[in-house]
Amino acid sequence: MIIQIIVSVGALLVLIGLWGLLTRRNLIKMIIGFSIMDTGTHLIIVGLGYREGATAPILDSSITPGTHFVDPIPSALVLTAIVIGLAVTALMLAYAVRLYSSRGSALIEDFKENAL
Amino acid sequence: MNPLIALAVLMGTAFTMPLFEKAGLKPARLIFLAALTLLLVISGGILVNLLNGAPDLEVATAGFKAPFSINFRIGLAEAAVWSAAALVLLIGGSYMIHREEDGMYDRMLYLVLALGVTGLILTRDLFNLFVFLEISSIAVYGLIGRGGERSLQAGFKYMIAGGISSILFLIGTVFLYRLTGTLNIDGMAAAAGSGSLAGTVGASAVFILAISMLIELKPFPANGWALDAYQEAPSGIGALLSSAQASAVFIAFTKISPLFGDRLAAVLGGIGMLTFFFANLMGMRQKDEKRMFGYSSTGQIGLVIFAWFAVRGTGMPETAAWFIVGGLLLTHLFAKAGLFWLSGLADKSKGEGGNGFLHKVLPSALAGIFVMSLLALPPFPSFFAKMELVKLLVTGGSWWILTALFLGSLFEAAYLFTWLVKKTKAECTDGGADTVNGDSLVVGKRAGPDILTDSPAAEVSSLLKSSTSLWVVIPALALGGLSAAWAYMAGVFNVIAMAPFAAALLMLLLAFLPGRVRGFLAVLVSAAAAWWIWPRTEGIDQIFAMLFLGGGSLNLFAGLYRKDRRPGFWAFSLMTVLSLGALVLARTPLEIFMAWEVMSVGAVLIALQGKRAAGPARTGMLFALGGGYLLMTVLMSIGTTTVLSPAVAAILVVIAFLSKSGALGLHVWVPGSYAEADNDATSLLSSVISKAGIWAMMIFSIRILPGIYGLDGPELWLQAFNSGPFSFLSGILGWIGVLTALVATIVAVFQEDIKYTLAWSSISQLGYIILAFSLFDHFGWTAAIYLSINHFLFKAMLFLAITGVIYRVKTRLMYKMGGLIAPMPITFITVLIAIIALAGVPPLSGFGGKWLVYSALIQGGRPVQAALAMFSSGIAFLYLYRLIHSIFLGQRKDDSLGIKEAPFWLILPQIVLIALIMLISAFPTVILKPIIAAVGELMPAVIGFEGSTLMSAIGYWNGSWVMYVTMGVFMIPLVLLLIGTGRKTRKVKQFNIVFAAERPYRPETTHYAHNFFAPYRKALGSLMNPLGRKFWEGSAGGVTAVSSAFRRLYTGNGQTYALHIVLFTMAAALFAGVFA
Amino acid sequence: MIKRFLAIIALLGAAAVLLPFVLNLPTEEALPELASKYIENAPGELGAANLVTSIIVTYRGLDTLGEVAVLFAATAAVGLLLKRTGNEVGVSHWKSSEILKSGGGFLFPLIILYGVYIFLHGHLTPGGGFQGGVVIATGFLLLLLSGSVDSFNHTVMSLVESLSGFAYVAVALAGLIWAAGFLDPRFLPQGDFGRLFSAGAIPVIYSLIGLKVGAELLGILDAMRCKVRREGVTA
Amino acid sequence: MNIFIVIILGVLMLAAAGTALYMKSLSAAVIAAGAVSLLASVLYLLLAAPDVAMTEAAIGSALTTVVFLYALSRMRGTKKEDPRD
């Protein structure tokens, strides 16, 4: 049940972010939309690794045989994805800054000079 | 060799680049290039190992086997693309190393891009694929923004698209992991095979994974962002984006494609073809060259995607599949990189005050190689690949897809060829040019330095000065190597098939030699080929081989009259002449088609050498390609008699060859190409090359089509044409022939430009030949071959004579000539004899030709066509009269006072031709006997010889006697005239005529030779209505209108592009049935 | 308006594509075989208590190496895009309070220490190189915000970044030479399970990642920082 | 684990995400987006993924927000969203 909720929330976040990307015309808001999509995706990934009643995959002395663990692989994937997401977001923002300084505007429709 | 070392080196170098920069620019550059070189060495080493039969290289990381750790696998395909990408990366690296500003960041990002490309190609882990996708994307994002302010906009749009794609990729990946329990692609494929992905979740996950990769490959219409990026990125980056990066992503895409179900695969393949079609459609309207290359790139990748799914569906062995896909992909990889670099170098040279330099020999040869390989012309790998692809489509009966493929290819040819011509030909200034009806007629001066005026030494030194441009040779060399490999695999890597290319290459390499040296070499090679071919052929093959190679040699010899270097003329003329030889010797469908394609493209390239030939040559190119596609369709259906009905095959073949011969409706490329080609080249085109279509039509109807359909041998096949089910075809063909003859003759009458007159005359003469051919019987074909030879003789004489005239008087307008009989007597005699031969009056050989045609037509039951043909012969007198009258008789012009007879090089072939025509006229049996015998081998003979008299059911003809009688009739009055009137006439100087004491300044108004046949024009002018041209222009206009309409999709707004991507995904999901 | 309409259609379409994922979510409770194998074998094979760390640093180490490269490329690209043009370098007008300044100075070493702790214990406890790196970057950020420093020494920064990156690659290659493969950490002794100095080279790798990530993130922050006017951070 | 906490966190996240998109002030929008991340990291903790939680908190909410704010500070004068937004 929890997995369903998590994945649903993640999917909704992806949709909300997508909506932002498609309708917000300010570059910053578009980037916010993208980063919300990212967060939603991460949530879906972690949700898929979760198992009801399982514990974190860290084996210390408190672990007794037969303990259920959550799937460690999605966690590992998400770690990578989060860092990559940050990298992309930062680069997008750098672009936005440069675009703004070139035009004095942050609206996406002001940057369509090369339509041919 | 462990590929991970390459990875480590790239990464280590990138990480430490700032330290090297601290040490100085030189070491930084050195280490940068060293890392890229190492990449090439390792990838190349692995490729060589695999080529030597080593098993696929499997590399695990972290000391654990897959699926516990990430693994690489390198098969032949991966190794080939990886090495190719590494090569391009190395050249690109040395290309951009000269940019000083922020060089460190550039180099860091560049190395990361190389890393991403490597990983994309090698990894077998789905999530690792994502990481490498992001690595290459981020490097690209960073590098795109280096092209100035507008490149920032492009980069941002690119990022939005990449962002959406990577989110889809992640979601797909993690669901696939949840369903299959592994991230290893092979493990997933195995799990998919056992049904793990059967449900809706599996289908959706596979779908969004596929779509996310597809978006990276820039499908139509979700690719506006990519085009902006191609347009605005620096050309060095565009080169990599289009070649190395796109190829790497494609390889990654092929790796996940085993997961796709059949329906999804079909949808993706369809998207690939749509992309190919529409990208090229829209490419036609581009003015910005990098954006145009961008359209071409997306189109090519679309084609590769389509090919991948097309071969995948057939279950053909992997090597055969990669023969097609790899051929297309590798060609694109090298050619597109080369084009982007060339364009960048030209811009750079412009920026430095040069004028672009692409019209120099080496760069234009390179540009030509890149464009021709993209157009899938022989001998490039794409040619063989496309042939196989067409074979798949033909045997599958996928006619709509085939049409889209051909149309898309034609669109691409239209814009790439236009670009090539625009860039490689020096611009003409219009100073001093004559124009009539907007057509500029005369030789303008070229602006700037020129292949004709630059000394070879200057060119070489200017090339060496910018050492970067020499690097661009490497992709061309790579294409050459690949061509050899593909030709070898296709089984045509033999002397005959490769000789034309070798000859062209040799001639281009020797471009530094003086023109006449290479000219002599060309004549020798061509004559040697004629010598070599003679004993190796028989029947009509031999006759045509001699026409092609002997006539070709003669024409090449005439070309020696020009002293300049003419790199293109010698290369392409020799190539075309040799390809005619290869055509005659070809036996397999592939050989035939290859030689045909080289010949028809070669002819276009010959024509292109003329100074104003750009437009006509482009039209010619499109007709050559279009005809080639029809031919390809038929040839590739060999072995599957069911897909094409014999009638359809026959129609396609006939259309292909008629467009080569310039039959009415398909003639629009001919007048311009002939007229605007170099004058001596026109002779080659008209007298020799135009006959290829006739030979091919004969061979196809007697040998190849019967071979395909096996209608119990050629006889029955011919009968089918003659009186059987296809007789309507021969009737139509006859009408086409006769109308061509008639209309072209009329048009020829009203031309002011001598070359246009002769060009239209050629069309009309080909009409007669087609008419004779259409009879499909012994008599008709004998006439056709006889006419072909005859046409060769007199048209070569006319064009060579006219070449001399134009060379001396420097104009092509007839009313500006006049009175040339005195300074150019030999030329006059040549023209006189040629005209008599052309007119078909006794005693010369033309009479025999006409007699044969009319007799054959009457015997074949076509009196109406015979009558019309006769009528048009009568009209032909009009232009012939004008020809000799305006040029040689009458008053001499001021401009042509001091001129001399034509150069020796032109006169000698004319004398040879005069001798030949006299010989044939006096002893027609010399050629008629072999012709009748040769045709008689193919079909039941209806005519034959008794002694030297030709016998047919309706009459007989003895050429020798005709000659003697006519000579007598002609000689006696002449002698009488000379004896009787010599004393009474008063010789006047040619300039004894003055127009009422006034010299007319504008000859148009007063000169008798201008608008010569005004009264006839009133009567016949309506026939000149250029319906054919209007039709083709209308089609072209329609295509561009559609193209413009679709272009509105690309608004330039990054958000709209994002919307396109999402809507595109949705539409694809509908077609793939994901919603169900 | 039509664009809005199309956007709604697009969103509905995207929802329809995503719907099967939510509706027919795979529900089996058992872990996939691969994950179970990791849980079963990783402690013995690698000696790291934190399975996620084992996976990140070793089993899927190539991902992590790539991830570092991504961050590296992003830093370079941001630096390239926002390179300082001469006139932009100016004095900070930010007036930070004395409390913030001294507080920052006090907290800074603690934060750095915490960051180092995180990546050194990555194989034992949650966290690791990335988290530690971020914490370190945050420490420096605090220094910036508190106004204690105006800019960083770029030479040192790039030295740290380059050397740690190079060392990471070198350690990976060491695995290729002295152990079973590229990125294999087992060329160092496994040590006692659960101790700081255990799990082969995993702590070494994680430390290098931490240093590199910290330096890279700091690089991004530094490049993004407005050098002229700083009073407008919040609105 | 209490399912209601998860639901409440999810609803809060969605609300924060919506707010981030429709907030007039850009810096407030950035903060709201950071809140989405922060809430996500709490969820990760509940989902027994402490590594992810730490990373999301440090990178997703803290660092990303700072980078956003830095970018905003360099794009002054764009506080006014387009009225139609």
Side-chain angles (χ1 to χ4, degrees), chain B residues 607 612-613 615-617 667-677 756 759-760 812:
Chain B
R612 288 168 194 281
H667 68 279
V668 287
W669 65 276
V670 178
S673 297
Y674 282 12
E676 301 300 347
Y756 274 96
W760 282 103
R812 284 170 17 195

Side-chain angles (χ1 to χ4, degrees), chain A residues 19 25 29 50 79 100, chain D residues 22-23 55 76 78 81-82:
Chain A
W19 177 253
R25 289 149 62 215
K29 287 258 175 110
Y50 181 68
L79 281 186
Y100 176 74
Chain D
Y22 282 91
M23 207 66 166
T55 316
R76 291 167 55 77
T78 56
E81 268 277 59
D82 189 88

Side-chain angles (χ1 to χ4, degrees), chain B residues 683-1001:
Chain B
S683 172
L684 182 66
L685 291 172
S686 160
S687 66
V688 176
I689 297 173
S690 66
K691 307 301 179 303
I694 305 300
W695 174 83
M697 276 202 283
M698 292 183 171
I699 290 308
F700 265 74
S701 43
I702 205 77
R703 193 190 291 155
I704 294 173
L705 290 180
I708 302 175
Y709 295 105
L711 284 182
D712 297 328
E715 289 82 9
L716 278 178
W717 179 257
L718 278 174
Q719 222 171 44
F721 271 104
N722 227 348
S723 50
F726 307 156
S727 54
F728 76 97
L729 261 181
S730 43
I732 291 173
L733 203 54
W735 278 110
I736 291 174
V738 77
L739 286 177
T740 306
L742 183 65
V743 175
T745 308
I746 294 172
V747 178
V749 170
F750 302 116
Q751 299 301 317
E752 300 292 346
D753 181 329
I754 177 71
K755 288 192 75 184
Y756 274 96
T757 307
L758 292 181
W760 282 103
S761 157
S762 285
I763 296 176
S764 80
Q765 294 294 320
L766 262 301
Y768 286 111
I769 302 176
I770 292 166
L771 176 58
F773 166 82
S774 77
L775 287 167
F776 284 95
D777 63 12
H778 187 221
F779 209 163
W781 281 27
T782 303
I785 297 176
Y786 183 85
L787 280 177
S788 299
I789 293 174
N790 208 23
H791 180 241
F792 155 68
L793 292 171
F794 64 69
K795 204 40 71 66
M797 286 162 74
L798 279 176
F799 270 120
L800 291 181
I802 291 308
T803 302
V805 170
I806 297 173
Y807 184 62
R808 292 300 186 210
V809 303
K810 308 267 184 288
T811 178
R812 284 170 17 195
L813 297 175
M814 280 186 277
Y815 62 79
K816 292 196 166 181
M817 304 171 179
L820 295 181
I821 184 170
M824 308 182 84
I826 306 178
T827 307
F828 168 71
I829 291 172
T830 310
V831 171
L832 183 65
I833 289 176
I835 280 176
I836 295 173
L838 196 160
V841 292
L844 295 186
S845 56
F847 172 71
K850 291 278 151 72
W851 184 86
L852 282 169
V853 173
Y854 301 143
S855 309
L857 281 172
I858 290 165
Q859 195 173 340
R862 306 216 189 144
V864 183
Q865 292 181 0
L868 279 173
M870 265 187 218
F871 175 60
S872 81
S873 296
I875 298 176
F877 279 111
L878 291 177
Y879 71 75
L880 295 175
Y881 171 66
R882 182 180 183 188
L883 201 66
I884 201 133
H885 184 137
S886 306
I887 299 176
F888 292 100
L889 309 178
Q891 186 198 3
R892 213 157 140 196
K893 300 290 180 300
D894 286 355
D895 296 339
S896 50
L897 278 182
I899 64 169
K900 296 180 293 193
E901 178 58 277
F904 158 78
W905 308 100
L906 287 172
I907 294 295
L908 185 66
Q910 291 174 36
I911 292 174
V912 173
L913 288 163
I914 290 175
L916 280 173
I917 219 165
M918 285 303 186
L919 178 77
I920 292 175
S921 303
F923 310 104
T925 48
V926 174
I927 60 163
L928 266 176
K929 269 193 178 155
I931 294 175
I932 288 178
V935 180
E937 284 169 18
L938 306 175
M939 55 185 79
V942 295
I943 50 173
F945 274 101
E946 284 177 15
S948 60
T949 305
L950 180 64
M951 304 300 292
S952 79
I954 56 167
Y956 59 91
W957 170 52
N958 186 323
S960 314
W961 271 106
V962 173
M963 182 79 167
Y964 305 146
V965 170
T966 319
M967 288 310 266
V969 171
F970 181 66
M971 279 307 202
I972 295 163
L974 184 69
V975 171
L976 287 177
L977 209 68
L978 287 175
I979 297 168
T981 60
R983 298 275 155 77
K984 288 174 195 160
T985 50
R986 187 167 62 97
K987 284 213 165 180
V988 278
K989 290 260 179 204
Q990 278 188 322
F991 280 88
N992 208 352
I993 306 163
V994 174
F995 296 82
E998 194 183 340
R999 284 262 163 136
Y1001 178 65

Side-chain angles (χ1 to χ4, degrees), chain C residues 1 3-4 6 25 30-32 44 84 88 96 100 113 130 133 149 207 225:
Chain C
M1 212 61 256
K3 199 175 152 190
R4 171 71 46 129
L6 283 175
L25 202 64
L31 287 183
R84 249 146 289 141
E88 236 184 317
S96 57
L100 196 57
L113 210 60
F130 290 102
V149 289
S207 306
R225 204 155 55 98

Side-chain angles (χ1 to χ4, degrees), chain A residues 10 14 28-29 31 34-36 42 44 62 67 100 105:
Chain A
V14 169
I28 295 285
K29 287 258 175 110
I31 300 171
F34 171 75
S35 102
I36 291 174
H42 302 157
I44 293 177
S62 66
T67 316
Y100 176 74
S105 160

Side-chain angles (χ1 to χ4, degrees), chain B residues 15 62 68 125 128 146 200-201, chain C residues 24 38 60 63 80 162 182:
Chain B
F15 289 162
F68 295 103
D125 185 280
N128 197 232
R146 306 284 291 116
T200 52
V201 178
Chain C
N24 306 321
Y38 279 152
R60 304 195 61 83
D63 279 349
L80 187 62
S162 294
F182 191 72

Side-chain angles (χ1 to χ4, degrees), chain B residues 256-334:
Chain B
I256 58 168
S257 73
L259 301 174
F260 306 161
D262 287 341
R263 183 162 171 188
L264 181 57
V267 171
L268 294 173
I271 291 170
M273 182 44 78
L274 275 183
T275 305
F276 177 69
F277 181 85
F278 280 102
N280 285 324
L281 179 66
M282 281 176 287
M284 293 208 297
R285 298 283 290 152
Q286 296 313 313
K287 292 197 179 64
D288 183 285
E289 95 187 4
K290 285 196 287 184
R291 192 176 179 90
M292 190 185 83
F293 292 154
Y295 273 108
S296 166
S297 289
T298 52
Q300 291 284 339
I301 294 291
L303 181 63
V304 175
I305 294 171
F306 168 77
W308 174 254
F309 289 106
V311 299
R312 186 179 174 274
T314 62
M316 61 166 64
E318 205 172 333
T319 43
W322 280 105
F323 180 78
I324 297 178
V325 178
L328 293 171
L329 186 67
L330 290 174
T331 306
H332 166 74
L333 193 153
F334 285 119

